Amino acid sequence: MMRNVSYRLMRKSALATAVLVALCIGASHAQQQPASAPSAFPGAQESLEQTVKRGEYLAQAGDCVACHTKHDGQPFAGGFPMPTPFGTLYSPNITPDAEYGIGKWSADDFYHMLHTGHRRDGSFIYPVMPFPAYTKVTRADSDAIFMYLRSVKPIPEPNRENGLRFPYDNRSLLLGWRELFFHEGEYRPDSKHNDEWNRGGYLVEGLGHCGTCHTAINKLGGNEDRKAYAGGLIPMQNWYAPSLTSNKEAGLGEWSLEEIVEFLRAGASQRGAVYGPMSEVVHNSLQYLSDADLRAMAVYLKDLPSRHETPPPGMLPGAAQLSAAVLAHGHAIYKAQCQSCHLGNGVGQPPGYPPLANNQSIEMQSAVNPIRMVLNGGYAPQTETNPRPYGMPPFAQILSDADIAAVVTYIRVSWGNHGQPVTTAEVNTLRSAPLLD
Amino acid sequence: MYNVRRLVLAHFGFAFGAFALALLLGEWQMIVRSPLHGWLDNPEHYYRSVTAHGTVMGYVFPTLVAMGFGYAISVVTLNRNLVGLRTAWIAFWMVVVGTVLAAVIVASGHASVLYSFYPPLVGNALYYIGVALIVVGSWVWVALLTINLAAWRKDNPGKKVPFTMYANVAGSYLWGWTAVGVVLEILFQILPVALGFKTTVDAGLARVLFSWTLHAIVYFWLIPAYIAYYTILPRAIGSRLYSDTMGRLAFVLFLVFAMPIGIHHLYDDPMVGSGIKMMHGVFTAMVTVPTLLTIFTIAASAELAARQRGGRGLLGWVKALPWENPVMLGVAFSFVMLGFGGAGGLINMTYQTDSTIHNTQWITGHFHLIFPGAIVIMYFVIVYDLWPALAGRALGSLALVRTQLWLWFVGMMILTIPWHIAGLYGMPRRMAYYDYTAPALAPDAWTVDASVLGGALVVISGFLFVYILLSSLRRERIAPPAYRFSEALHESPVVPRALNGFAVWLALMFTLTLVNYGFPIWELRKIPTTSVPAVYVGGGQ
Amino acid sequence: MSTPAQSAPTSAEVSERIETRWAIVMFALVVMLLAIVVYTGVHWASMPPSRVEVVDANTLHLAGEFVESNLGTGIDPRGNVTVHMVAEQYAFHPHCVVVPDGVPVTFRATSGDVVHGFLIIGTNVNSMLVPGYVSTFITTFNGVGERTMPCHEFCGVGHAAMWAKVKVVPLATFEEMARKSGRLSCV
Amino acid sequence: MSTACPTRFGMSLLLLLLAPLGQAAEPGGLAKPGSPPPDTMFARVQGCSTCHGSMGQGTQDDYFPRIASKPPGYIFNQLQNFREGRRSYPPMNYLLAYLNDDYFHEIAQFFADQRLPFAQPERSRLPPAVLATGERLVREGDAGRQVPACVGCHGPQLTGINPGIPGLIGLHSRYISAQLTEWRAGTRHANSPDCMHEVAKRLTEEQITAVAGWLATQPAPAVPTPAAPGSWATPLPCGSQPR
Amino acid sequence: MNDNLGKWAVLAVVAMMLVGGVIGFVWLPRVVYSDQGFFAAWCSALGVPRSWAAFGARPVAKISSDVVITHELLEPARPADVGHGATLALRCTMCHGPTGISYANSPNLAGQYAVVIYKQLRDYKSGMRANAIMSEMARSLSDTDMREVADYYASLPRPAGFQLTGAAPAVVKWGAPMRNIAPCGSCHGDIDHTLASPWLKGEPRAYLRAELTAFASDQRHNDINAQMRAIADRMTPEEIDQAAAYYAGEH
């Protein structure tokens, strides 16, 4: 029955959509809904095909497929395991299957879920679903994404029970979490900035849900606004999401707009290549975004206020470890293993072999990423603009903790890099970090 | 009762509270291992229960009764307030805390090692710490009695120490020294492992140390009962203690001989030499002496009473005894059970005969006849006798009291005699379940059923006891009568010096311990290979 | 027995006399007990396992007389029938032993972990098995048949399931079996 | 406090040591990006080098397989299997996660085209009898257990056949037995019909040891490259090899 | 009775000691240790350890495992072990799964006791336990490698949310006393756990059945003092299957 409703909806023209938007504005979000909202975004007047197309585009921007598809599974059929400190969750099936998917959903249901983080039965959604970001999505975009999801192949794939430990298996406990970390409400353009900036903000804060990783996640599993985009360690995955603020040392302060756009679109740039979880984001999501949108995101990111993310002096690993012997050792390893690609002075051969000198990934306070790059290697994601990516081999099986600590330390302090030395212990713990999330 | 009324009440209250719970566990154990009940889905629960039952009945209950009774004796016989009342309360709370600690750990299944510990099995450290606390608390009691006696001596130079107090202090010294063995075992063998400083235990040495405590502890349990024989019965039946000197002798002989005989529990163990075993055997034979002395003295003073009441004939006087008097009844039951138990004991102490029943259900039968049988029934008598003075209330119907004692006696007999028989069939003790369907074992089945019945009677009796005391509290207050113990028939102003002090006997006690335990302990300590990895229990949780 | 006291001194004497008699009876009892022990000790040479022998409980399986292939019944160099057993939570190895009827059998047993008990129902074989020590016990079985052999000391939560069997066979049969293989067991 | 001294000492050493390096880099300290890397497949597959050798010739490691001059179809299938999780080896699954088939074809072709001398075969510790069993299985199979001879598919020279059936030369016994065990357990899959699964299921533990042991001792034939498609008929249908 | 009582008592006790001593250390030893000289017999009576000549060491036909299980066998895992273990364990992932949870009916190793894994690796290497792939894999592992792999797997979380289904079968909760079969749970974790006994919950049914059968048939014999062989060969095929199914959660 719901199906019919939504099909009728689909048959209706954009006008109907607009009316519907208006309705639900009246319904709930009058005060939040900026007057200029519809006009600020594309798609006020479009055909069903266009809506679905736009929905697909937005779904890519939101990278829905990443979590709602398991490795050997059908797109959007769910079942993807998401390990958390509280237990493992499994993403649900969001294909239009009537029994297990969203076949019985209405556009309202979908928007309500995206916007308020409630399941259709009214219970709370676990915040592994980035609804604190998706709540910013406009009704129009939500509907478009819904239309698109309704258009994909329905898969009768049953949803898997979450494996959460007591007491986390009780959804109502999320109330506290929501009070602390969830602020419901669509994105509200900032009149002090132009449309491009606001479009970027809408994508970064909303569908892009960049903050989910790039804002430190605290013990309670929430992002704190005061640390927004200042970077943080991604729990379980053990990769460090670098700062995106305009901070000079750690953030994007020194990046040009072009470099950022190129990095997001191609996955490799003069500044460095993407790796770890970001490969997935570029591969499934960012590479499909329009130049305009990527540029808008870049503009917004460049403008993020610095959170002066320099670690308090006390926190620095003791420079005492930085002995000449270690550096000599590191230098030797570098010559044997790294130099052929990254060159003696660490300038690399970008975009294929990224530079190591003056590279935040190398210098940043957390040494997790450089260590893991050496341990696990990695290929940049294959994208339209980078169809034959270069790759770095894993060294875990041929280099000892001491070797890796030495060479990473060497890289972090050479060629004007001012990173901190790393310890063999750090290297060692990262050996057991999971390779596949 | 001077300044110890509430103290003694507290001791008895907690003691019998714990006792009642442990009683239920005991009966539950009987039921689950009997043919009347299917096999336990988790056998661990059975051993958990056995551990709790044994810990409470072996360490907590008798210790508290002896302590409470001891304080009462001190103030009554020395006729003065207890010195160090506050300390006494601290000691009491140490025992309580220790008990609760141990109980919680055992209940949570982290120390199902039975109250005899059985290293290299090792449970949670807190259990052993709890037990150690109990012992330490009781040591404070030992010290307090000494102090009070000394204080009295100071004020009454050269006077004869009242018989009851003498026996009382003798008992406390016996415990003070005999507890050392188990404390050594806990401190130097088990705790270091339980706390993880060490991972190996010498099971042989541990067993020797435990045997140091294991037998004499029974005499510690026994002493209050014996005191009651000597000093409550004669008064209660309107007689007098037959011979002061004999009585004192009996107690000091316990002091001397109770200790150096523990290894008769290890006759069948491979780590003690036969010569040592023989020495312990010899002294085990000696320890029958004080018991026989007691039987004689008590029988004599009973006869005395009977004949004064017109009893005639060689044994006819027995009929003339005041059987309606619960004390009389209790003592009689106690003697009967002591008699059976003692007879069984002779079999255990002779190591050729021991080997047919060692560690079988027979042993369970034996010590249940002695302790819960002969001894605990006297604890009842003691409490009944002290109650008016303690609670300021008269007891309710004596008929009820007698019923309780009868139930206890009959229950105990039905409980323990079949156990002895099962033992002769070769039924091992401490089995969570037992395959009665096996042709070889089927004949044993009835014995366990019978014991379940006996156990039930015992439980009823135990709760009846509690009920009698509690119900008396609803009666109107009476002025607590001045409590007194019986005096000797021939109240000579002096006794042999040796029997007015403890020096000689303590000296003998230490020497004999040294002679009988010194070598085995020293020898076993220096063998390295016999330390084996601890087996930690409670991994199931 | 005595008539109750009329006047203290006489009664005191009386009681003292009685007490002395009684004392004599008592000591007679004690001496008798000892006599039994000594007599059986000397004339049946029946003593509990009293040779203290130590062994490393951790390495029983590596070498020495308790290594796996030595467990079971065998004829030792002197021609004595010897049974070697290891007790471990919660089983005896071997869990079924063959012994001949009517001739002395020496049991050599020890524990690989905790304290176990070693009892052959209906015989005087009864010994503790303490890890680190070897228990030796000599006995003679009278009458063929099967005897049960429980562990009679609490050895952990599996204790109740720790039972073994002893199969007593006629001497001839036993010798026949022994000729076939070195170590016997009815496993 | 006590660490202050060594710290300062360490720092000064560091400066001393960095001085030359600093010159090696830009005087300003900030190095300007270098020129792009060579636009070759060789440069692109260096991600494989630490385990399979810079050109797939294999390494000293006692486990990782040589991939040079294996049939391109075979290599492609494996790349795909790893990406799709049909084969589980985290480092491989991780490296290939975000690469696409068109690129896999290029990579496969690159390694297939490499012609490099084979390393010395390993010396087996297995008793000759076992090796003999292994050889028999390879050459004749085991009719009793319906195990076809390896040579039936992998070729008389064990060089494999284009495009889908790999050669069995130059592999470590550990690698071979691991793969056979996986085939048998069904943790390694191939396009159905999954013939290796069928075969491995019929092998006993001992046979796996024997085959792996013997194969690992075999030197490369004169012509170590896979035979042309259709050089011989495979005894049973395999999804990875068009018949 | 008089004031000499003390003296008399002491004398009496000394006398008893002498009697006991003479009987225990002189008389009885002459009988019981007739095979020994006077002083030797005296020492025996005292309990000085000595070995009974007749029962010397015998030739060792075969041993089950050369591992000696003690608590010191594996110190608590140092982080370094876990890390190196993780890298070494990469090649175990094909059968034992990337997170130590097998999809191949190989045992799950996630959260298994380190001692257990270490002992099996040692036995594979020494050939006491045979397996086509494991023998190969363990061959080149050094003792340190084995400890590290063991520590790594021990550090992984056990399968999340795994539940045993149904009531435990008799053999798991009671064993079979008259066949000297102890309850599986008394060593393997349901009721209690003993050193070096593997944790069985969630292990694949096929694996458990296969191993029990192998023990029963003596194909597998690396269990110290035949502990598992003795039990397995007394278990009926049904019991073996029930136990396997139960621990696999398929009961």
Side-chain angles (χ1 to χ4, degrees), chain A residues 99-122:
Chain A
E99 187 175 2
Y100 304 111
I102 58 171
K104 292 205 175 77
W105 289 42
S106 70
D108 290 336
D109 297 333
F110 187 76
Y111 177 74
H112 183 255
M113 176 277 296
L114 216 53
H115 189 76
T116 69
H118 287 89
R119 287 159 27 134
R120 198 142 151 280
D121 63 15

Side-chain angles (χ1 to χ4, degrees), chain A residues 48-110:
Chain A
L48 170 60
E49 291 68 27
Q50 287 170 310
T51 317
V52 172
K53 196 97 203 69
R54 192 162 59 85
E56 178 177 18
Y57 178 84
L58 292 165
Q60 281 168 337
D63 202 0
C64 313
V65 73
C67 293
H68 287 281
T69 308
K70 63 172 189 250
H71 279 305
D72 49 354
Q74 301 277 4
F76 299 109
F80 177 78
M82 293 168 289
T84 75
F86 314 102
T88 301
L89 295 102
Y90 299 90
S91 58
N93 178 344
I94 56 169
T95 64
D97 181 73
E99 187 175 2
Y100 304 111
I102 58 171
K104 292 205 175 77
W105 289 42
S106 70
D108 290 336
D109 297 333
F110 187 76

Side-chain angles (χ1 to χ4, degrees), chain B residues 112 117 243 245 399 447 455 474 494 537:
Chain B
S112 302
F117 306 147
S243 162
T245 314
T447 62
R474 287 204 313 279
V494 294
V537 305

Side-chain angles (χ1 to χ4, degrees), chain D residues 134-210:
Chain D
E135 176 164 20
R136 206 174 320 110
L137 278 160
V138 172
R139 298 221 178 281
E140 297 136 36
D142 177 348
R145 308 179 61 89
Q146 283 116 38
V147 178
C150 306
V151 293
C153 290
H154 295 274
Q157 301 287 320
L158 296 166
T159 54
I161 174 171
N162 281 323
I165 299 180
L168 303 179
I169 303 302
L171 300 171
H172 302 283
S173 62
R174 185 162 309 170
Y175 174 78
I176 303 173
S177 46
Q179 299 315 312
L180 286 172
T181 320
E182 271 193 279
W183 284 117
R184 185 166 61 163
T187 42
R188 178 173 172 176
H189 311 269
N191 311 334
S192 70
D194 192 341
C195 48
M196 273 314 290
H197 179 54
E198 285 312 309
V199 175
K201 269 195 309 194
R202 304 172 193 170
L203 289 171
T204 67
E205 293 269 304
E206 296 68 23
Q207 287 175 321
I208 290 178
T209 315

Side-chain angles (χ1 to χ4, degrees), chain E:
Chain E
M1 302 248 194
N2 52 30
D3 278 6
N4 298 333
L5 178 70
K7 286 199 210 62
W8 285 113
V10 175
L11 286 177
V13 171
V14 171
M16 285 169 222
M17 281 203 253
L18 288 177
V19 174
V22 170
I23 302 172
F25 294 103
V26 182
W27 190 3
L28 287 180
R30 303 299 298 143
V31 181
V32 184
Y33 310 114
S34 46
D35 58 330
Q36 304 175 6
F38 178 79
F39 282 105
W42 188 70
C43 284
S44 298
L46 259 179
V48 179
R50 47 186 52 253
S51 79
W52 211 335
F55 308 97
R58 297 149 180 280
V60 176
K62 79 169 206 270
I63 68 170
S64 48
S65 168
D66 60 2
V67 183
V68 174
I69 304 288
T70 64
H71 291 286
E72 286 70 21
L73 185 59
L74 293 184
E75 273 68 33
R78 291 169 293 115
D81 295 346
V82 176
H84 295 137
T87 300
L88 286 165
L90 281 173
R91 66 180 56 172
C92 318
T93 54
M94 313 162 293
C95 295
H96 296 285
T99 60
I101 295 157
S102 170
Y103 307 108
N105 286 337
S106 319
N108 299 333
L109 299 180
Q112 185 54 275
Y113 301 101
V115 182
V116 173
I117 299 172
Y118 172 74
K119 174 177 184 294
Q120 298 309 317
L121 287 171
R122 281 267 304 264
D123 289 346
Y124 279 126
K125 186 174 182 178
S126 62
M128 305 277 180
R129 184 178 177 184
N131 172 290
I133 173 63
M134 285 313 293
S135 314
E136 276 290 336
M137 287 291 183
R139 202 173 73 233
S140 65
L141 292 179
S142 73
D143 191 68
T144 327
D145 295 343
M146 294 192 259
R147 292 168 185 273
E148 290 172 344
V149 172
D151 285 335
Y152 166 66
Y153 277 116
S155 77
L156 293 176
R158 289 185 175 142
F162 171 80
Q163 288 300 335
L164 289 175
T165 55
V171 71
V172 170
K173 45 185 187 183
W174 303 318
M178 288 303 106
R179 282 179 288 146
N180 198 181
I181 299 174
C184 310
S186 58
C187 294
H188 292 288
D190 265 355
I191 304 171
D192 203 348
H193 172 258
T194 54
L195 188 61
S197 314
W199 184 265
L200 296 185
K201 283 186 188 172
E203 293 298 353
R205 180 178 186 168
Y207 173 74
L208 292 174
R209 200 199 294 101
E211 293 309 302
L212 279 168
T213 322
F215 275 127
S217 64
D218 201 41
Q219 272 178 313
R220 178 178 169 183
H221 40 62
N222 68 319
D223 52 331
I224 292 172
N225 293 333
Q227 219 162 4
M228 272 316 294
R229 271 168 292 165
I231 290 173
D233 85 29
R234 284 168 244 152
M235 289 170 79
T236 64
E238 297 67 39
E239 283 170 333
I240 286 181
D241 195 51
Q242 287 164 355
Y246 171 71
Y247 279 111
E250 299 168 17
H251 184 50

